Amino acid sequence: MADLQEASITLPSEPASVTTARRYVCGLLTDWGMPDGDPATDSVRLMVSELATNAVLHTSGMSPTFTIDVRWERGERLHIGVTDSHPRWPQRLPGAVQQDNGRGMVIIRHLTAESGGRLQVTPTDEGGKTVWVMIPWAVPVR
């Protein structure tokens, strides 16, 4: 098995794509030899759900699709990037804000920090952005 695994998928910016994105990434992790039922997989599942939901809900129709890139550097890090073509970057809400939505990035930041990873937003050449989550993910080779 290769030391670097990479895959991507582009999906329409519609609510049904969130489920597709989550299943796609979790399927990749299984195919790449990550153990079923690993608690870290649950965190990744939630991060992908939140990132995909943000790409669908917060692009105001300016991004007809979004792309998920997944890269696993065996024994080191898992990189998950969600790219859309909307120019607005994620906004950090004040802690005191009470509302029914808008906490996706708070959840992602918490899970990323809890795993010892980092979150990064990078611009695309087309004027959009990619939200990257990079977390340590060392799984023994089977």
Side-chain angles (χ1 to χ4, degrees):
M1 195 174 286
D3 288 338
L4 177 66
Q5 300 280 352
E6 294 180 288
S8 67
I9 188 171
T10 298
L11 299 166
S13 292
E14 55 189 43
S17 293
V18 174
T19 300
T20 303
R22 185 174 51 242
R23 287 182 182 155
Y24 175 78
V25 172
C26 290
L28 280 177
L29 299 183
T30 300
D31 291 349
W32 292 348
M34 303 198 188
D36 290 332
D38 187 313
T41 303
D42 290 336
S43 292
V44 169
R45 183 180 292 112
L46 181 54
M47 284 189 255
V48 169
S49 289
E50 293 296 337
L51 289 168
T53 297
N54 285 351
V56 170
L57 293 180
H58 301 297
T59 58
S60 305
M62 290 181 64
S63 185
T65 63
F66 66 97
T67 300
I68 298 183
D69 294 292
V70 184
R71 185 172 70 226
W72 182 35
E73 299 166 2
R74 184 168 292 284
E76 293 185 25
R77 296 186 93 62
L78 178 67
H79 301 249
I80 300 170
V82 177
T83 303
D84 64 58
S85 55
H86 194 289
R88 186 178 62 223
W89 286 27
Q91 303 297 309
R92 185 180 294 245
L93 293 176
V97 172
Q98 298 292 320
Q99 60 188 49
D100 293 336
N101 61 14
R103 292 195 269 301
M105 289 306 294
V106 172
I107 293 168
I108 295 163
R109 281 186 179 93
H110 173 77
L111 291 171
T112 302
E114 186 178 73
S115 68
R118 65 186 176 101
L119 177 77
Q120 181 178 6
V121 182
T122 59
T124 65
D125 292 340
E126 298 78 28
K129 80 269 183 197
T130 303
V131 180
W132 287 100
V133 173
M134 293 142 300
I135 58 174
W137 196 296
V139 175
V141 176
R142 298 194 243 178

